[in-house]
Amino acid sequence: MELQPGREAVVRVAVATLWTSPEAVRPVDRPALAARADIPAWISGMDSDQQVGDCVLSQLLLGERVLVTELRPDGWAHVIAVEQPAAKLDPRGYPGWLPADQLVPA
């Protein structure tokens, strides 16, 4: 089964970072994007200025459910983190972008 817009999926990595957009990702963020995200390497590879910014919205944990709303050909999925309330942004949950490789169909 494949990821599909309008369908639920589940986070398949220990920690998945929810991004404002795929374009907001910086070269230093690469360890957080892999199918096997390496969060300790990501954090240790940044200086204190790089750890502060507007590109990261939230993080999701292994097994957390999302609603896939869009799939891009470049491997990014727009999702709604249904287990993270964000009524002012979306009544269904917290919206943002994840690498599709970090998800599996529910």
Side-chain angles (χ1 to χ4, degrees):
M1 198 151 117
E2 294 182 18
L3 295 175
Q4 294 180 9
R7 293 265 180 80
E8 282 199 358
V10 176
V11 173
R12 70 176 206 86
V13 295
V15 179
T17 302
L18 194 65
W19 302 90
T20 57
S21 74
E23 294 75 26
V25 174
R26 308 159 299 176
V28 72
D29 299 322
R30 292 284 170 228
L33 303 175
R36 290 185 171 214
D38 188 348
I39 302 303
W42 178 44
I43 299 300
S44 67
M46 290 189 278
D47 61 34
S48 58
D49 289 337
Q50 292 171 317
Q51 291 179 12
V52 178
D54 297 333
C55 57
V56 172
L57 298 171
S58 185
Q59 291 185 310
L60 291 77
L61 301 178
L62 177 67
E64 196 164 333
R65 294 178 307 116
V66 299
L67 174 64
V68 177
T69 59
E70 181 182 340
L71 291 170
R72 288 185 13 174
D74 63 359
W76 283 89
H78 187 267
V79 301
I80 305 295
V82 297
E83 297 177 46
Q84 296 188 18
K88 290 184 179 182
L89 299 173
D90 190 306
R92 300 170 293 178
Y94 210 111
W97 292 88
L98 294 173
D101 285 349
Q102 295 182 349
L103 300 170
V104 293

